[in-house]
Structures are given as structure tokens and as C-alpha cells.
Amino acid sequence: MSATGRDDLDEEAELSDAWMAAEPRPERAPAADARRGADADPRVREARPLVAASWRRSVRARVSPDGAARVELDEEELAACREAHPLSAAMPVIRELMGAYATDGEHLLAVCDAAGRMLWVEGHPGTLRRARGMNFVAGARWSETAAGTNAPGTALAVDRPVQVVAAEHFRRPVRAWTCAAAPVHDPHSGRVIGAVDITGGERLAHPHSLGFVQAVARAAESQLALLGPAPDPERIRLSALGRDEAVLSVGGRRLRLSRRHSEILVVLAHRPEGVGGDELLALLYEDGSVTPVTLRAELSRLRALLDPDVLRSRPYRLAAPVDADFATVDRRLASGAVAAAAGEYAGPLLPASIAPGVVRLRERLAGRLRAALVDRGDPGLLADWAYSAWGEDDVEVWRALCTAVPAAQLPPVRARLDSLEEELSAGATGLQRTVHHTRA
């Protein structure tokens, strides 16, 4: 299927490879059908030289047009490869972005390593069953040299997003399928570490499929960049979510902080550029009568607790970057990784604190996360929030959960929401009566 409109195997005589010239030609009708469907899509038309070059590489690799992908990893080996592969850390983001799209559209999402071995193949149950017929399964190798022209294998070969439509596949058993894939790179070294793929029927033969999978690959790379290298034992780490007294890890020590010291470090971790004395006083103390002397005394005690060079002044700041759990949740939300953010949210930030700066951070983070959960509408994520200690009275989330849960799970959720709304109505009525009485 060349750019000139001829079937790719019409070009066999022009190739020096004797095996290719002797290989049986694929059926004309499927190729013509695929061409008619693809001609409406300028992106596919432009990609045909890429596909023709891939067919030539497939032939030179001695790929049989009638063969099937080979399953190379048994269950134990597959589990080990998944655990060791860097993309395992990005799978929550990939599933979040692609999972519902694949299931609802009767497609499959697939993730392979740099060698083209499928590590994850998930999606619509019926499509999964059909895909087993061509060994499009976890553990099988779908590199171009092993399985011929296909989106994930060719994307790895040319290091660019690729869409392969129907008869553009080299192997005949795969020509009923359409797929789009994009390579994923290590964000630090830039090397290709695998590819993400969406595979299904003719509905995927659309430019949006290629753009979609490319966006997912970029999101996976962003997630890996956020995770970064293994934590440095010398790096300062602060855990303040879901606890009134934060825990600080610094210089190989793990310190449980007082409430005031917890508030100071949360504010300074959020403001790495530093905070002036007057502003820090306002961020920490609700009572405006507290003097700078009181603040300096607290800072002096905190400096004695930490290594001498950790806490600096003029302005007050921490000497090194801090890995704060609340900042991690904030970054996950900023990158669109709602499930990952919810998984790391251990509860409100210093829930007992009334320090103005902490209260603002706490309300902002909780508000952003709950809004993202409601917008996402995932029943599992909503239930995690609704049944938590901090979400049990959250009417908005319970309403969203009522809309999201399957019918069989609705009665207890509905009952809880009715109870909350009754309490809310009774409270509002009581307030109105109080106001009316006061005015009278």
C-alpha cells in the first residue's frame, strides 16, 4: 500500500530480496477496502511511505505473513518483568486515561517494553477474547522484527507515533484490526523504554486515535518525571497529611514534630523561596497579639532540633528542597493523575491546625482533590473519599457517588445521602428560625 496507490507487494519485483519476491501476495480486496477507508484520512495517506518501509523491514526480518506472535513470557516471568519495568509506575495514569475509553469503545489498551514484549493488555472482555486468536496477549512479542508491521512494534522501530489501519498490517490475521501507538521515553535519559497502544476495530481509523495515544504517552513520561529517581536518604521528607503532628525525615533521622513546628515546616516547604518574619508570623498565628519574640523562640527550638544548617533566616527558609506529601498530591492533580493523587492523600493537612497559612493550604488541596473526584465520576475513587473519616459528611461527594455507582450498590448510598440532606435541611431550617427570632 504505497504512496502511489499500488499494493505494497506490487513493488516486490523492485526489491532485491528473493524471499520477498517469492512470498504469496495478500488479497487485493482487503487492501482496496482499507485504502478506501483510509483515503478519507489525510494522516493515514501521509503515513503510507512509513508503512511501506515497515513492510520491507518485516520481509527482511523473515516475518511470515500468516504467522502469529510468539508468547515469550510465562506468568512468573511476566510478573517479574512488570515489577521491574519503569512503566509499572505510570500504569495508574495510563489506565486512568485509557481504561474507560478502551472498555466503552470495545478496544484494548496495551503497554509493551522496548523489546516489543506486551506487559499489559487490558480492555473490553469480548475484544480480549478475540485478540487471543492472534496472540495479542501479555507476554507476547510484537516487535516489528517478530510480528511485522503493527502500531506498537513500528512505533518502537521508528521512535514516533504510528497508526496502522486494517490491511496495512503485514500479517493477514491482524488485518481485521486497527491500532495506534506511541513510544514512551525515559524522561531523564531520553531513551525509549516502551510504547502505549490502543487496538480495536475500524472505529479507531481516525486521526483522533493517534493524537490520543500520543497524549497518553506524554502523560506517562510526565508521571515518570514526577516520580524521579530513587529517594535520596539525605533528602528532607515531610509527612503531614492526615496527622496533627508531622513526621520529618532528615539526615537519616525520623523526627515527630510538635504541632507548632509542624506548621512552621509545612509553610516553609510550601514556600521554598523563603518567608519574611512578619509574613511568617501572620501565616502561623491567628492571634494578632503574638509578638515576633515568640516566633523567634519557636524557630530557635526548631533549629536546635534539626541539623544546624537546615533552617536558615533572612528570609526564613529550608536549606534544601523538601519532599512533602501534600506537595506530591498537588503535583499529581496538576498532571491530571487523579487516581494517583487520591491514592497518596492520607487525609487533611494537619487537620487540627488553625494556623491561617496551613488552613488555606489544607482547604485548597482538599477542595481541588474532591472537585477532581466529582468531575471524574469514578465510583471507586468517590467511595474511598465518601467512606473516609474526612468525607463521611461530604454531601457533594455522596451525590456524585449516587450517580456513579451501579444500581445494585445504590440503596445504602442513597440512604446515606438522604440522611445527610435531611440533616442539612434541618440545620438550615433551624438557622432560619434563629435569624427570624433575632430580627423580631
Side-chain angles (χ1 to χ4, degrees):
M1 293 158 289
S2 68
T4 62
R6 297 184 300 165
D7 290 338
D8 282 304
L9 293 185
D10 285 343
E11 297 178 316
E12 288 176 354
E14 301 172 13
L15 301 176
S16 59
D17 192 301
W19 187 91
M20 184 173 189
E23 183 64 13
R25 299 184 182 191
E27 300 85 355
R28 301 280 178 167
D33 290 342
R35 184 157 54 249
R36 282 195 296 271
D39 280 346
D41 180 355
R43 291 196 188 187
V44 173
R45 204 160 48 240
E46 292 168 5
R48 285 181 182 167
L50 179 148
V51 172
S54 173
W55 273 50
R56 292 188 179 92
R57 291 193 298 271
S58 302
V59 167
R60 294 189 178 109
R62 300 296 190 267
V63 178
S64 169
D66 294 309
R70 185 163 62 92
V71 178
E72 295 187 352
L73 302 173
D74 62 25
E75 290 185 5
E76 185 176 343
E77 292 168 332
L78 177 61
C81 287
R82 285 173 171 172
E83 184 178 356
H85 200 277
L87 277 174
S88 63
M91 282 305 296
V93 171
I94 294 171
R95 289 191 180 103
E96 186 171 342
L97 296 175
M98 297 180 71
Y101 178 79
T103 301
D104 295 344
E106 300 185 0
H107 310 315
L108 302 178
L109 75 87
V111 177
C112 65
D113 64 14
R117 295 179 302 184
M118 291 295 162
L119 299 182
W120 292 273
V121 179
E122 305 171 0
H124 188 270
T127 311
L128 281 168
R129 286 193 296 271
R130 292 193 299 274
R132 293 190 194 108
M134 60 177 182
N135 272 354
F136 193 77
V137 296
R141 185 185 292 272
W142 278 77
S143 65
E144 194 180 76
T145 56
T149 304
N150 68 90
T154 302
L156 291 172
V158 299
D159 192 14
R160 57 176 282 192
V162 171
Q163 186 173 44
V164 180
V165 178
E168 291 182 333
H169 287 93
F170 186 79
R171 280 187 161 158
R172 294 186 181 95
V174 191
R175 291 177 188 163
W177 300 79
T178 290
C179 50
V184 181
H185 304 83
D186 182 293
H188 305 290
S189 68
R191 65 184 179 88
V192 175
I193 57 174
V196 293
D197 169 81
I198 188 81
T199 288
E202 61 184 6
R203 283 181 293 175
L204 283 176
H206 192 283
H208 291 166
S209 301
L210 192 61
F212 173 63
V213 78
Q214 187 173 11
V216 173
R218 299 295 81 79
E221 291 171 353
S222 297
Q223 177 71 359
L224 295 178
L226 284 174
L227 295 174
D232 183 348
E234 297 302 316
R235 193 174 177 90
I236 302 173
R237 293 190 296 279
L238 182 66
S239 300
L241 291 175
R243 57 176 81 222
D244 295 328
E245 297 178 335
V247 173
L248 184 74
S249 298
V250 57
R253 296 182 298 151
R254 182 178 170 86
L255 306 173
R256 187 182 184 93
L257 304 172
S258 70
R259 293 193 179 189
R260 184 61 73 194
H261 289 168
S262 299
E263 292 166 345
I264 292 171
L265 284 179
V266 162
V267 169
L268 295 182
H270 178 66
R271 296 281 298 274
E273 73 280 9
V275 184
D278 291 342
E279 185 181 5
L280 185 57
L281 192 68
L283 290 171
L284 291 174
Y285 294 96
E286 188 181 29
D287 184 356
S289 65
V290 176
T291 65
V293 174
T294 301
L295 174 60
R296 285 197 293 271
E298 288 289 357
L299 290 167
S300 178
R301 284 191 284 269
L302 179 59
R303 186 177 285 109
L305 182 65
L306 305 176
D307 291 334
D309 294 332
V310 170
L311 180 59
R312 297 180 180 174
S313 57
R314 295 182 183 177
Y316 292 111
R317 66 197 186 281
L318 296 171
V322 177
D323 292 330
D325 55 357
F326 62 91
T328 299
V329 172
D330 205 28
R331 289 196 302 271
R332 298 282 188 271
L333 286 172
S335 69
V338 179
E344 299 210 24
Y345 186 77
L349 174 65
L350 299 182
S353 174
I354 59 172
V358 174
V359 171
R360 284 200 294 271
L361 285 175
R362 180 171 64 231
E363 293 178 349
R364 173 182 172 274
L365 183 62
R368 287 189 64 209
L369 180 53
R370 69 193 292 275
L373 294 176
V374 170
D375 183 63
R376 180 77 61 182
D378 182 290
L381 296 178
L382 287 168
D384 287 343
W385 182 279
Y387 287 103
S388 69
W390 57 86
E392 59 185 357
D393 296 327
D394 193 326
V395 176
E396 184 181 357
V397 171
W398 281 99
R399 286 172 181 159
L401 185 58
C402 267
T403 304
V405 295
Q409 301 173 20
L410 181 57
V413 178
R414 181 78 255 176
R416 176 58 179 161
L417 178 59
D418 289 344
S419 174
L420 286 173
E421 290 183 328
E422 184 178 345
E423 292 173 13
L424 189 64
S425 177
T429 302
L431 179 61
Q432 289 171 353
R433 288 173 180 167
T434 301
V435 172
H436 177 75
H437 177 74
T438 301
R439 287 176 177 172

